[in-house]
Amino acid sequence: MDSRNFALAQGLVDRSYVSQARQSRSSREGLVRQLLANRRLPEHGWDDVTIKLFLNEIASMDSNNFPGNVGLGEREGRVYSSLVRERNFHLHHGIGRSGDIGAVQPKAAGSSLVVKIAGSLALDASKAAGFTNAKHAAVIPVATGMALTLTMCALREQRSSCRKVIFLRIDQKSCVKSVLTAGFELVLVDNVKDTAADEVSTDLERLEALLNEDDYVCVLSTTSCFAPRIPDRIPAISALCAKYDVPHIVNNAYGLQSRRCMNLIQAAATTGRVDIVVQSTDKNFLVPVGGSVLSASSPKLIDAVLKAYPGRASASPSLDVMITLLSMGKQGWSRLLEVRERTVIHLRETLGSVAEEFGERVLDTEENEVSVAMSLSRAESKGINVTFIGSKLFSRFVSGARVVPRLNSKSKVCGITFNGGFGAHCADYPVSYITFACTLGVTKDEIDIGMGRLRESLSECYKALDGN
Amino acid sequence: MDSRNFALAQGLVDRSYVSQARQSRSSREGLVRQLLANRRLPEHGWDDVTIKLFLNEIASMDSNNFPGNVGLGEREGRVYSSLVRERNFHLHHGIGRSGDIGAVQPKAAGSSLVVKIAGSLALDASKAAGFTNAKHAAVIPVATGMALTLTMCALREQRSSCRKVIFLRIDQKSCVKSVLTAGFELVLVDNVKDTAADEVSTDLERLEALLNEDDYVCVLSTTSCFAPRIPDRIPAISALCAKYDVPHIVNNAYGLQSRRCMNLIQAAATTGRVDIVVQSTDKNFLVPVGGSVLSASSPKLIDAVLKAYPGRASASPSLDVMITLLSMGKQGWSRLLEVRERTVIHLRETLGSVAEEFGERVLDTEENEVSVAMSLSRAESKGINVTFIGSKLFSRFVSGARVVPRLNSKSKVCGITFNGGFGAHCADYPVSYITFACTLGVTKDEIDIGMGRLRESLSECYKALDGN
Amino acid sequence: MDSRNFALAQGLVDRSYVSQARQSRSSREGLVRQLLANRRLPEHGWDDVTIKLFLNEIASMDSNNFPGNVGLGEREGRVYSSLVRERNFHLHHGIGRSGDIGAVQPKAAGSSLVVKIAGSLALDASKAAGFTNAKHAAVIPVATGMALTLTMCALREQRSSCRKVIFLRIDQKSCVKSVLTAGFELVLVDNVKDTAADEVSTDLERLEALLNEDDYVCVLSTTSCFAPRIPDRIPAISALCAKYDVPHIVNNAYGLQSRRCMNLIQAAATTGRVDIVVQSTDKNFLVPVGGSVLSASSPKLIDAVLKAYPGRASASPSLDVMITLLSMGKQGWSRLLEVRERTVIHLRETLGSVAEEFGERVLDTEENEVSVAMSLSRAESKGINVTFIGSKLFSRFVSGARVVPRLNSKSKVCGITFNGGFGAHCADYPVSYITFACTLGVTKDEIDIGMGRLRESLSECYKALDGN
Amino acid sequence: MDSRNFALAQGLVDRSYVSQARQSRSSREGLVRQLLANRRLPEHGWDDVTIKLFLNEIASMDSNNFPGNVGLGEREGRVYSSLVRERNFHLHHGIGRSGDIGAVQPKAAGSSLVVKIAGSLALDASKAAGFTNAKHAAVIPVATGMALTLTMCALREQRSSCRKVIFLRIDQKSCVKSVLTAGFELVLVDNVKDTAADEVSTDLERLEALLNEDDYVCVLSTTSCFAPRIPDRIPAISALCAKYDVPHIVNNAYGLQSRRCMNLIQAAATTGRVDIVVQSTDKNFLVPVGGSVLSASSPKLIDAVLKAYPGRASASPSLDVMITLLSMGKQGWSRLLEVRERTVIHLRETLGSVAEEFGERVLDTEENEVSVAMSLSRAESKGINVTFIGSKLFSRFVSGARVVPRLNSKSKVCGITFNGGFGAHCADYPVSYITFACTLGVTKDEIDIGMGRLRESLSECYKALDGN
């Protein structure tokens, strides 16, 4: 309410109470002012009343909510179901214009604000997580895989003479497909296994050899991944990309929540070439699936992606990100990151106990700060079909665990041959294993319960053996 | 958002779009301003975005929603469940203070505003419905029966020498109980049946005789009721109450929606004595059960009721009324009233067709503008147990129909003897009948379907006879 | 979905996933089954998805939500605004019937279930909190003050020869009014100050003297209160009530959260006479204001109250209680109680530090486990107007603190004279003081912030003195 | 609730009421059964209680809502903000798998059901609207422009030897961009103006000449468009595509609501080649922007598009479509279509009156059933800058009107030259004009108000002339 309305309210309710309410109201306006002026995460998370007040303000800025508006075009934000209206907070126009998904919509100042704010908050959250050199960010309403495709499409104009993308091996189907759907040829660079540890990572020599012999649309590297793969050698790759003047796209899918991944990117962006970093909104910001964050120290490629997007798109992912980051605030976000760092240690330890108990070991993949793997060697040697362990966990309501057997026959994915089978990110990985991830929001309790169910599952498998 | 925030928004979104949004925003502030200044129904109903914006503004005025508030009392508006918070729009403090349920709460300027606005809107709606002389109104969070009890309790101080309430017969248990729970003796005045028509109404002679012989806490009359009873002779009763200086309480439970009831009250309040009119919020304003509207041309008794209420109470009924009346607006409210007037004619006609078909007749109770009754004489004479007709309708998902058999044995209710059985509002009503009501929101379609099911039910009863 | 629908879903989604979903669905049905069968708090709180699923099931049991229902009565649960519908979860019929607010409504099996379940859960929560002898409980949609009035109204029939209520002094206006609005004479029994400690409590001698000389409607005692008053001597009072055969009503407003209050009641109910215990839903269960819990080891008086209530009433308070207690579960409820017990110690300690700093002391009122008071003697002696301290806290957004000055002139409340002024619960309390309460949900952080603001407020008062 | 729980409920609430509730519940299960079995629009729209019950059932099928589920993967559907959880009905997993956006997710049977049902309902709605030959449909979470891009990307594999797309001129930037972002060369086929009428449409001769001389990825035609352009000659184009064996993509953006557009597609699909029809969800189904419907009589290209999509995506558009179509039902959908057909006639007539008044004429473009244009020739001849008329309407809160001046200088869009300027869909359109659209949901009232504001705007422009 504006000051005239507060004055009128004093005719109904005592002056002193209204005055306190007004003081509180004006502190809320102050929060909005800071947000619009600084475009950064608020220090403390906003409460739901403030967020909803803000959302209602924003909704009232879209033409479909103007009192007395008459819509005589083909797209006027009319919505049939009140359930749908409510759940979208009356923001119906989506985002973007014909020309540019990042552009402001004439009919929808409110929705446009949401997009801008979501981008700014995501940028600030990226900086707080370690990519301090980030200068630009955008939230787009497609998940990581499609965001990678769009990014490569956007590179087409600049790299019109190239047809090939260097793909640093990651055994994930949507990554493979992101290259092919963009219309490019995928040049696979297999990973190498560390001789000392269990880790699997970039074959830098092979990469440089390739860069030396031809020109490419881009190099596509990956940070966040399942153990025993660890993040690609991002700084070294960036140095090569700078040297050979090739764009470098980093698939940082769920790495925004990992200080190690973010530090790698920060180091790479400072000394070498990182054109764009692509990350998932759901995995990093705890929102439903559907969006991604593009970030970079230069606006060039982000802008090209936004401009390449044909037409309008859903505002839902931006809305979810905006609400969530306002609700977390800087302190909430930092706390989540810290708690995760402590919790992954707990996962490593409790998994270690299980491993010891069953004659297995936690693989030595310290550089992967999110995912942890335990060998299934003894189980396998005893004749247990290791994939059963995964099914047993699934039926015990543990989701997310993945068993990768040593001898994985499936090797051709989308027409591309993956040596040694698709799963372990490299040819001939010597042990079968099971992986678990410790992502934002997992609690120690959940890990304890999960490890208990793993213990039960393993015991059951061993018992079944004895039974035979 | 205030003007500084709109200015900042221009840094993110084009100036011209923000300016249009601001214009629209300020037209919303204008709506709130009119409401707070005039305290009347808005001409046009508010859309949901405006209502929610207003509710959020209001919520932000309560101390439990002040950013940084610390509550160290015994009642601080903390709410455990987010579902509960959401559904109460974060308004947790209820209404009233120790001293007065109509009083403003220091901790809850917002909730207090809701109460005041709900009362003002209910007053305006009462005027628009015909009680133009109404000057004061309050929405209280108890339904009609309890509101009558509270009203009588509030009269105790003024009428400390009296112990009896004159009860103009209405065969409804909660009315009887409202007198007894207040701690008074109920003096029953039986109704008389009109000799020409089928109508049943006030025995004015008996009333005057009683007033002549003793002093009373009050006379309790009723307008809205089931046919064949018609509204009490409110103007004549008011004249007697004025003559004998006895308070007059009108139970106008669902009469706010009926022009005839409201005109009777208006006429009575102008020429005679009407101390308070009590009506249901759910039946008249289409909200969930739980509140009532007290209205009067003088504040005296309303204020006494508010002051008699010990302690705080739920804000829910006021909230529902406020939202609903803002949503209807004056035009919506008037339209609902008009549609009902047309629909009751439709009910009378379609019920007439059914009656003709089955050799019955619609009772001649024109002065009851809400409820219509059809005789069940022929059915009864053929040996049908008429109460079965009601069960058949119930099992066909027609709710609200009531069958009153001629010979109703139950005659003692809460210790009070009702001559001729409890149901027909008078002794020895000559015919069995079934009633239907046409209240706000019923559609012609519903009536057509309902009458179809009545036809089926009757046919089935007749067929069952033949079967024997 | 029933089993046929799950089978059909397998035509759209893989059998194994549907089967897992079905297993999970059936575990949810199991939760509902346990609830309906045992009518006790679930061990673990339900998640919101389960609660909403259950609420939707319940809503679908009310006639206004039957597909194809036709309503031709005067009250058919039609609701105009979709905002109002949503917030009431489509439960529109309220609770109760003409005859009995605890009765089941024919049109609203769902709403009726809510009432029953809310009562059962409140009973179980009462037992868990210490009143293990409780056998009956009901949630009624009026707050504590009005619940006390209704209880006394309900006693009228049984105690038709009595006109007086013994009121064990509690300086709270709504308690006084609850007696007067019920239509009874209030016989005030002043408290006595303990000679050793700072505590103020029941004058048992005076009570027995009164009981000896006359007959009464009931004795009204109070447990939860502001220090320096402590809970009434409930077991001793109960013994006297048994001896003199007088009903005993315990106002346990916010004592359900205090083990000490509940233990007193339990002890009293086991050995003496406790007819009913009345407590607030908002203060004990963290819901919005508007309801109360009646509990007892015998159903007699509770049933009389339910039967005395004339007509229907709002379902909102029951709904809020049901949602909240399902959401807490037994573990959540117990944890809240335990945390509060620890937190009140923290309050006592931090307030002690402030007291020491400013030359004051925390009053010795150990038997009051919820409220704590600090003297303001030195401040007063230095010439500070102690009521200013309260205002300063209010303007610093600390709500709930109360300053009671030694010389409180206001002594007549609702026509009753309170010796020594209204506020300190006894005549001539020797020191001025300020009270704080530690109720469910307060955090240590809040207390630290609040005590910091108290420190600031006191400093400011002292500085202002120096300035003169 | 299952039958055991209903039986238990009878312990709390009367048997007969529970039995009626159970009957009603089972009729709701019946609605779900019909939906899952037939996968068609329900005859009558579902009420909100049924829809929410169904949504809660669906949500409870996703692993993030399984009681006791432990998530130890990188994507477990955790959501931070309760506002975000609520608005997404706890469906967090999005849709699709790495391999296929149409595939069922192991962790999310519920979300997967939503996708399947949304597709089935969209198919049924398409048939009801006239494309009776449609056999397959999918709702994908990108709007029309991006859906066209994806479709062309999906054609790449089948048409690996082609690089060019035939673009039947439509002056809409996102259409142009959809081709370029897919990585293809755009071959522009200019439209021709009808010599008799004002209509602009396909140059079939030029199209055949091109098909004759080279091979193409596809032909991209458009139905719904702004007057004076009319739908492309879809049947003739389909015949040519069949003859030359070239895929045919129909951009039917907002044509699903127009019987004429749907009849053209139906005719074309029956006799010629239509590989896929792409339409907007927001414009046709009154949901927020963000999705599109792919439909076809053969599954081939739809499946290829779903398989080309890399990774997961937002479930929001499917959810909005499912809720809305369940809420409309077949009757609601048909009524919306019929009302629109009548309303467009009203628009044509009232616009005709304005035209007559100001010496203009409604352009003769009968074959465009959605958009109507009025000449601005006289205004232009009098020296009025016709673009001002658009601004005046915008500032009067009429959105959606478009002014296209005769001499439109902008002719190069995304590097493609458009003869005669971008806007009129053909070279050298002889008159300046303003267009209005009559889409689903527009009311006659809105049109009357809008035409009133057009009258005011024109008057103002003429007055300004006189002023000079």
Side-chain angles (χ1 to χ4, degrees), chain B residues 72 99 177 181 307-308 320 437, chain C residues 72 87 99 177 181 307-308 437:
Chain B
L72 295 176
K177 206 185 280 184
T181 293
K307 286 210 167 58
D320 287 340
Chain C
L72 295 176
R87 85 174 207 87
K177 208 184 280 187
T181 293
K307 286 211 166 56

Side-chain angles (χ1 to χ4, degrees), chain B residues 297-351:
Chain B
S297 45
S298 142
K300 198 178 153 201
L301 187 50
I302 296 180
D303 284 354
V305 174
L306 300 180
K307 286 210 167 58
Y309 195 105
R312 284 178 182 73
S314 170
S316 269
S318 296
L319 193 56
D320 287 340
V321 165
M322 186 187 81
I323 293 172
T324 300
L325 291 180
L326 288 178
S327 177
M328 284 180 184
K330 190 160 189 175
Q331 295 201 351
W333 171 238
S334 303
R335 198 163 42 239
L336 274 171
L337 295 177
E338 286 159 22
V339 168
R340 198 201 66 78
E341 288 193 347
R342 283 200 299 274
T343 313
V344 76
I345 294 170
H346 183 72
L347 169 59
R348 216 174 267 281
E349 289 171 356
T350 50
L351 183 62

